Amino acid sequence: MDKYYDRIIHGGDYNPDQWVDTKEIWDEDMRLMDLAKVNSATVGIFAWSLLEPEEGVYNFGWLDEIMDKLASHGKKAILATPSGARPPWMAQKYPEVLRVEESGVRNEYGVRHNHCLTSPVYREKTAAINRMLAQRYKDHPALFMWHISNEYSGECHCELCQKAFREWLQKEYGTLDRLNFKWWNGFWSHRFTSWDQISSPKYRGENHVPALRLAWRRFTTQQHLSFYLNEIAPLREITPDVPVTTNMMRLYKGIDYHSFAPYVDVISWDNYPDWTNGDNTESANETAFVHDYFRSMKDGKPFYMMESTPSIVNWKGVNRQLKSGVQELSAIQAVAHGADSVQYFQWRKSRGGHEKFHGAVVDHVGHENTRVFRDVARLGAVLEKLDAVVGARTTAKAAILYDRENSWAVDFFCGYHRDRRDYDKVCERWYRAFWSRGIPVDVISADQDFDRYDLIAAPFLYMVRAGTAERIERYVRGGGRWIGTYLTGIADEDDLCYLGGFPGGGLRKVFGVWAEETDSLDEGEYNLVSFGGRTYRAEYTCDVIHAEGATALGEYRTASYYAGTPAVTKNAYGNGEAYYVAFRPQQDFIDDFCGGLIDEMQIQPDAAFPLPEGVSTRKRGELLFVMNFGGEEKTVVLDREYRDVAADRTVSGEITLPENGYLILR
Ligand code: GLA
Ligand code: ZN
């Protein structure tokens, strides 16, 4: 199923549990939600100590009341499981539920997200409270979706987790001989003779074995996933028709969210971009990239933007207020990129505690006569006109390969340019060549299907896991176009280097090049590359390559051993083509290079009219979103007459988009 409601969900985190002593506020909340055109509320995220104030003593009355109020006001409840934070009694009675930091010291009670991923007690307790929630609300008319825990993250180094890690390693590697070989443990005399000798990577322990660090991240991912599966088991059993999601964080590196995709019904993520009151083009590109990353996890199925701030956050150094229009445009961007929800952290500001100055729809003043409230209500009215996009999938002919495990490997290896790997930034740059032209693009991992795309750019694909090179080879042979860059195909899934010439794993013949050396450049130092009659700058990392069948499309214009060697190559392979960009390019090269391919391959943008710098477009279903992030007024010239859905008018010809303005065209 691609949609769970006919409307865009508009709502956010709602914490009535903080206001049990002044319950009159609950009715006021309902009145204000109606005014703000909010149709849903996410409840119970951190409510455990109110739900179970003492072990085995339950208190659901307040939640019954809230669920009833939501239902009678026609609002959907996104009901959270409370495992993101726990009551003090639990930590006091069962210290094993608390997380152990890398130092080996167990955390004391406090904050949140502070639980052991393995603890049988914690798993039992979370499954039990989840079961009670499911049993109690399974037939409740407000129950719409499950929100599992909150932003799963971090790791635990306790003895239970170490033991689970060793068991996981045994399953992964089978024998110690195999592990010793794959981790290259002959280096510095690290051959293990017993599984018990292995433990998690630590600052004051083993932190120089990249394969161990990779294994630990994979294990941590699996441990979070199995914790999650344990959480949802009672929900799936009791409420099989209620969709399940868990809110993820931007480009968080600690776990590979892709592993969760098959087990959630809806991908959801918390969106806190670095918006400013000026030109937001760069942030808009970065955020679009993240939207597309999450949307691509479930093959283009709509996702939820589970959190965003309606105004400011509280955790930056300087939490600057934004002009009206910035957050609205941010919300519209999410919908344009595939979100079926616009949700906030938070509905009402807490009165005390750590987040009392974080933006909220309802401020401490308590009424609706605030700028932020009016902005939210205005947006709510627009969202009510967008039923047509709900459930609409996005498809793309081009993809950027951005792979979490590769990002780990890139961060962990020692050598070459250690300060400027910038894997995220590099991928966002390649993405921007498509985004700025209004070309739909997916952001996929190395394990996702390649064959649905005509063009894939896979910058800095250092790690090529078993089976991946074969899939790339098949894709290109079958007619696909593949773009690789410097430091591609260097190591396998355990960071063991490929022997016999890079790019390894069988990719050398696909690219028709051999990368002999990799050079690193200082800040401000550039190599020059000629390509298509222009000269471009190469920065930070440059491979020196030999064409072995590939055609040179560009050359280094740098003296010494670089001079005249190929810097950009194209290799006809089977029915497709593989391109190798041997250096780290700046945006101008990427734009020109990808632009040439896009033109040649006739990959169509979503809009049939030209886009000024800073204006982006996305089509969803029948609607075309045109968004101005450029920080100043922009003019677009429409190719035909459209219906402007938000303003309810017919538009054609030259249209002026104000700063932070947008059009939704049918
Ligand atoms: C995260 C959390 C929320 C809240 C916000 C603040 O996304 O999930 O509980 O702390 O950050 O920005
Ligand atoms: Zn643990």
Side-chain angles (χ1 to χ4, degrees):
M1 197 157 59
D2 282 358
K3 70 173 175 183
Y4 300 95
Y5 189 37
D6 294 334
R7 325 218 75 169
I8 301 278
I9 284 287
H10 187 217
D13 283 23
Y14 176 41
N15 301 299
D17 43 311
Q18 294 176 15
W19 299 88
V20 273
D21 301 318
T22 43
K23 272 179 146 184
E24 26 336 321
I25 274 189
W26 295 1
D27 287 319
E28 184 60 1
D29 282 326
M30 297 302 133
R31 184 186 75 83
L32 291 170
M33 282 183 195
D34 285 340
L35 283 181
K37 302 199 179 303
V38 153
N39 56 26
S40 100
T42 310
V43 286
I45 300 184
F46 300 114
W48 204 335
S49 70
L50 192 62
L51 290 171
E52 193 180 355
E54 281 174 58
E55 188 168 21
V57 177
Y58 298 100
N59 168 24
F60 286 98
W62 67 274
L63 188 52
D64 294 351
E65 240 181 280
I66 287 294
M67 292 291 279
D68 292 351
K69 278 190 204 298
L70 289 172
S72 67
H73 283 78
K75 317 247 174 274
K76 307 265 167 212
I78 299 182
L79 186 53
T81 66
S83 68
R86 60 225 54 81
W89 60 256
M90 196 188 296
Q92 194 175 30
K93 182 155 181 207
Y94 308 102
E96 73 162 55
V97 304
L98 294 177
R99 202 165 275 189
V100 170
E101 288 303 328
E102 207 195 280
S103 60
V105 175
R106 193 176 296 279
N107 288 344
E108 293 189 19
Y109 179 76
V111 295
R112 55 177 173 176
H113 303 159
N114 183 11
H115 66 267
C116 170
L117 316 184
T118 307
S119 158
V121 171
Y122 200 52
R123 288 184 177 217
E124 191 190 304
K125 293 280 179 204
T126 48
I129 190 91
N130 293 3
R131 175 171 294 277
M132 295 191 84
L133 286 168
Q135 266 158 355
R136 192 162 188 102
Y137 300 111
K138 63 180 189 320
D139 299 319
H140 199 286
L143 179 62
F144 170 64
M145 187 176 283
W146 290 109
H147 175 293
I148 308 304
S149 200
N150 191 62
E151 294 187 339
Y152 283 125
S153 49
E155 50 194 48
C156 178
H157 296 258
C158 79
E159 270 317 310
L160 294 168
C161 288
Q162 302 290 357
K163 186 167 169 282
F165 180 44
R166 289 176 198 123
E167 284 162 12
W168 180 86
L169 288 172
Q170 291 191 41
K171 259 196 253 134
E172 282 293 296
Y173 291 92
T175 64
L176 269 181
D177 280 349
R178 178 142 183 280
L179 180 142
N180 280 326
F181 172 74
K182 291 230 70 182
W183 291 15
W184 211 245
N185 282 338
F187 181 77
W188 286 350
S189 192
H190 283 189
R191 284 192 179 90
F192 296 114
T193 51
S194 146
W195 295 96
D196 301 338
Q197 294 159 357
I198 309 175
S199 61
S200 58
K202 297 195 182 80
Y203 177 67
R204 296 176 75 82
E206 185 59 88
N207 55 40
H208 276 38
V209 177
L212 165 66
R213 298 176 69 190
L214 289 167
W216 178 248
R217 286 275 170 94
R218 289 186 182 117
F219 163 75
T220 297
T221 296
Q222 286 312 308
Q223 211 63 356
H224 274 293
L225 180 62
S226 77
F227 185 91
Y228 164 85
L229 292 174
N230 180 68
E231 279 216 51
I232 66 166
L235 313 180
R236 291 292 196 209
E237 178 197 320
I238 300 163
T239 58
D241 299 327
V242 179
V244 170
T245 189
T246 183
N247 53 335
M248 305 178 183
M249 288 186 283
R250 219 174 172 84
L251 300 180
Y252 175 67
K253 305 277 185 297
I255 53 183
D256 184 0
Y257 288 138
H258 269 280
S259 309
F260 281 72
Y263 308 102
V264 299
D265 297 302
V266 178
I267 293 281
S268 68
W269 79 282
D270 300 342
N271 180 23
Y272 296 98
D274 281 322
W275 299 131
T276 68
N277 283 322
D279 180 355
N280 278 315
T281 311
E282 180 82 19
S283 283
N285 178 70
E286 285 171 19
T287 303
F289 176 85
V290 186
H291 283 311
D292 289 356
Y293 166 67
F294 282 113
R295 189 198 59 244
S296 303
M297 279 187 194
K298 269 184 118 52
D299 298 335
K301 179 176 173 172
F303 61 93
Y304 274 22
M305 180 168 74
M306 189 55 80
E307 291 179 26
S308 62
T309 174
S311 57
I312 51 173
V313 294
N314 67 331
W315 40 261
K316 291 186 182 168
V318 179
N319 297 290
R320 180 95 207 250
Q321 298 285 354
L322 295 171
K323 294 181 198 172
S324 287
V326 176
Q327 297 298 359
E328 180 168 342
L329 183 61
S330 174
I332 293 298
Q333 183 191 31
V335 176
H337 281 262
D340 273 355
S341 85
V342 170
Q343 291 159 278
Y344 309 105
F345 180 87
Q346 48 194 332
W347 166 252
R348 181 185 281 276
K349 268 185 195 178
S350 342
R351 187 166 179 191
H354 182 70
E355 291 183 326
K356 60 182 173 298
F357 299 125
H358 192 291
V361 182
V362 182
D363 213 325
H364 291 135
V365 70
H367 59 55
E368 66 270 36
N369 303 313
T370 62
R371 181 175 69 98
V372 170
F373 191 96
R374 284 191 295 273
D375 289 351
V376 166
R378 195 182 53 240
L379 172 64
V382 174
L383 296 178
E384 287 185 345
K385 296 177 182 170
L386 303 185
D387 297 355
V389 304
V390 180
R393 279 192 182 236
T394 307
T395 51
K397 287 278 136 217
I400 306 296
L401 196 154
Y402 170 76
D403 186 83
R404 179 56 62 234
E405 292 205 357
N406 183 56
S407 79
W408 298 339
V410 161
D411 285 347
F412 294 164
F413 79 78
C414 187
Y416 302 128
H417 208 303
R418 293 181 60 182
D419 304 332
R420 295 304 300 266
R421 308 251 166 105
D422 304 333
Y423 181 58
D424 291 1
K425 179 120 265 94
V426 165
C427 291
E428 285 159 5
R429 276 195 181 172
W430 283 87
Y431 174 88
R432 186 162 173 166
F434 298 84
W435 178 80
S436 60
R437 277 179 183 72
I439 307 276
V441 57
D442 283 348
V443 177
I444 60 171
S445 83
D447 296 329
Q448 285 183 267
D449 175 32
F450 299 151
D451 295 331
R452 69 180 65 182
Y453 304 104
D454 296 337
L455 175 64
I456 298 176
F460 203 170
L461 190 63
Y462 167 92
M463 171 192 277
V464 172
R465 297 189 286 279
T468 306
E470 290 78 356
R471 289 172 48 239
I472 297 172
E473 193 270 341
R474 247 194 338 265
Y475 166 80
V476 178
R477 184 153 40 85
R481 306 220 193 176
W482 188 275
I483 304 169
T485 72
Y486 62 95
L487 287 177
T488 284
I490 305 299
D492 72 2
E493 60 279 358
D494 285 297
D495 204 33
L496 269 188
C497 287
Y498 285 110
L499 303 179
F502 302 128
L507 292 178
R508 187 170 163 185
K509 66 172 190 291
V510 178
F511 286 109
V513 300
W514 168 41
E516 184 186 347
E517 291 187 89
T518 298
D519 193 12
S520 308
L521 309 184
D522 277 324
E523 200 71 46
E525 189 193 355
Y526 304 101
N527 282 332
L528 299 180
V529 167
S530 64
F531 170 79
R534 281 188 61 187
T535 302
Y536 299 88
R537 282 171 158 189
E539 56 186 3
Y540 304 124
T541 303
C542 297
D543 285 354
V544 179
I545 65 172
H546 304 272
E548 299 176 328
T551 313
L553 303 178
E555 289 179 351
Y556 283 115
R557 287 275 168 257
T558 306
S560 97
Y561 59 98
Y562 277 84
T565 64
V568 187
T569 59
K570 164 177 163 173
N571 194 38
Y573 185 87
N575 296 321
E577 280 160 11
Y579 296 84
Y580 198 86
V581 176
F583 58 98
R584 179 161 162 189
Q586 297 183 318
Q587 193 68 52
D588 57 349
F589 173 86
I590 299 175
D591 287 347
D592 292 349
F593 177 75
C594 291
L597 275 175
I598 289 165
D599 290 345
E600 185 194 319
M601 296 171 70
Q602 297 183 348
I603 302 178
Q604 295 306 318
D606 278 341
F609 48 86
L611 304 179
E613 173 79 19
V615 173
S616 104
T617 59
R618 238 347 166 47
K619 195 158 187 236
R620 253 195 98 187
E622 292 304 297
L623 301 184
L624 178 67
F625 294 77
V626 186
M627 299 160 278
N628 177 13
F629 295 100
E632 56 185 23
E633 204 174 271
K634 299 274 173 168
T635 303
V636 288
V637 182
L638 303 180
D639 57 310
R640 63 172 177 86
E641 197 176 276
Y642 290 92
R643 189 82 197 150
D644 173 350
V645 174
D648 245 331
R649 55 173 184 160
T650 301
V651 286
S652 62
E654 203 173 283
I655 302 282
T656 302
L657 282 169
E659 179 189 3
N660 301 312
Y662 61 88
L663 287 167
I664 304 171
L665 304 174
R666 188 198 292 271

